[in-house]
Amino acid sequence: MLGQNNFVEPVALQEMDTSNGVLLPFYDADSSIVYLCGKGDSSIRYFEITDEPPFVHYLNTFGSKEPQRGMGFMPKRGLDVSKCEIARFYKLHERKCEPIIMTVPRKSDLFQDDLYPDTPGPEPALEADEWLSGQDAEPVLISLRDGYVPPKHRELRVTKRNILDARPPSGPRRSQSASDAPLSQNTLETLLEQIKALREQVQAQEQRITALENMLCELVDGTD
């Protein structure tokens, strides 16, 4: 493990094992805990990082029977704060994805401030062009006291031209002449075609949602 300002000499050395698998590290800055998962290994080792020697303190090891092919890590805002959940991994097997949940036992039902300090949220501190121009900013933090509440979606601006905008300007009512009939008929047919296309898109999306829900149920049943 390397120092923050020194990438030449390690500040601490920790012997893991003799495996030659790829190491997958996950660091939780809120709790100063680093989780080490080895690809092809069946365990998760976690250490506490401090500013004082020996800097790295072994905490525990989570072990399972099957080796992991990959590992994912849930952001803090996705954890269940009511159950004192501090970490959630998604262990990739050959044919399924297994959630691994780590909790801290607490008797109190109150919000645990020491477990859940303000944590980075989904809102970016800078836009892409600002970052490319060399600007820097601290992450935008959110509180998990009442559970994570997603922010309001940004306003979606539609630039597609509406076919109704082509209608003639409103004016004094007059009797419909024979020359107006073809325009009204064409507009009606166009609207019906658009409605039909939208219905087909909605049906396709509903079928896709149903298929994804079935896949999710199969994954959940496989983990039980």
Side-chain angles (χ1 to χ4, degrees):
M1 185 166 298
L2 301 180
Q4 182 177 3
N5 300 319
N6 184 359
F7 290 93
V8 178
E9 297 181 0
V11 297
L13 292 175
Q14 178 70 38
E15 183 177 356
M16 301 295 297
D17 50 36
T18 57
S19 174
N20 58 355
V22 178
L23 200 61
L24 306 175
F26 299 96
Y27 179 63
D28 181 10
D30 296 338
S31 59
S32 299
I33 296 179
V34 60
Y35 301 87
L36 300 179
C37 316
K39 190 174 182 180
D41 195 2
S42 59
S43 61
I44 302 175
R45 299 175 178 85
Y46 39 106
F47 305 80
E48 182 180 8
I49 308 300
T50 60
D51 296 330
E52 300 178 355
F55 304 109
V56 180
H57 306 270
Y58 171 77
L59 295 178
N60 208 337
T61 299
F62 170 84
S64 57
K65 296 181 180 179
E66 299 182 14
Q68 55 245 13
R69 292 173 173 257
M71 191 72 72
F73 192 63
M74 170 68 74
K76 269 294 181 63
R77 60 181 182 272
L79 303 182
D80 189 348
V81 298
S82 62
K83 297 181 180 180
C84 296
E85 183 181 0
I86 62 171
R88 186 190 306 172
F89 297 89
Y90 290 94
K91 179 178 179 179
L92 181 62
H93 295 264
E94 182 177 0
R95 296 185 178 179
K96 66 178 182 178
C97 183
E98 174 190 5
I100 298 175
I101 298 175
M102 296 188 177
T103 59
V104 175
R106 295 287 175 89
K107 295 182 178 180
S108 175
D109 294 332
L110 301 177
F111 179 76
Q112 307 297 317
D113 299 85
D114 58 327
L115 296 181
Y116 304 106
D118 291 348
T119 190
E123 290 296 318
L126 294 174
E127 296 295 337
D129 54 350
E130 295 175 339
W131 182 79
L132 291 174
S133 65
Q135 298 184 36
D136 194 8
E138 295 294 330
V140 179
L141 303 181
I142 60 174
S143 174
L144 301 180
R145 176 172 292 276
D146 298 324
Y148 171 63
V149 179
K152 294 182 179 179
H153 295 290
R154 296 183 178 180
E155 181 181 358
L156 178 61
R157 297 181 179 179
V158 180
T159 57
K160 184 177 180 180
R161 185 172 178 268
N162 193 333
I163 189 173
L164 296 181
D165 295 338
R167 63 183 180 181
S170 59
R173 294 186 178 181
R174 58 187 177 87
S175 59
Q176 183 178 4
S177 62
S179 60
D180 296 332
L183 177 60
S184 301
Q185 185 66 25
N186 292 337
T187 302
L188 179 60
E189 292 178 355
T190 304
L191 288 175
L192 292 176
E193 291 177 357
Q194 289 186 351
I195 293 174
K196 181 180 179 181
L198 289 174
R199 285 179 177 175
E200 293 177 352
Q201 293 180 6
V202 171
Q203 292 178 356
Q205 293 297 330
E206 289 179 350
Q207 294 176 358
R208 177 172 174 79
I209 291 174
T210 301
L212 292 175
E213 289 178 346
N214 294 334
M215 293 175 60
L216 180 60
C217 291
E218 293 177 358
L219 290 175
V220 173
D221 294 340
T223 58
D224 295 339

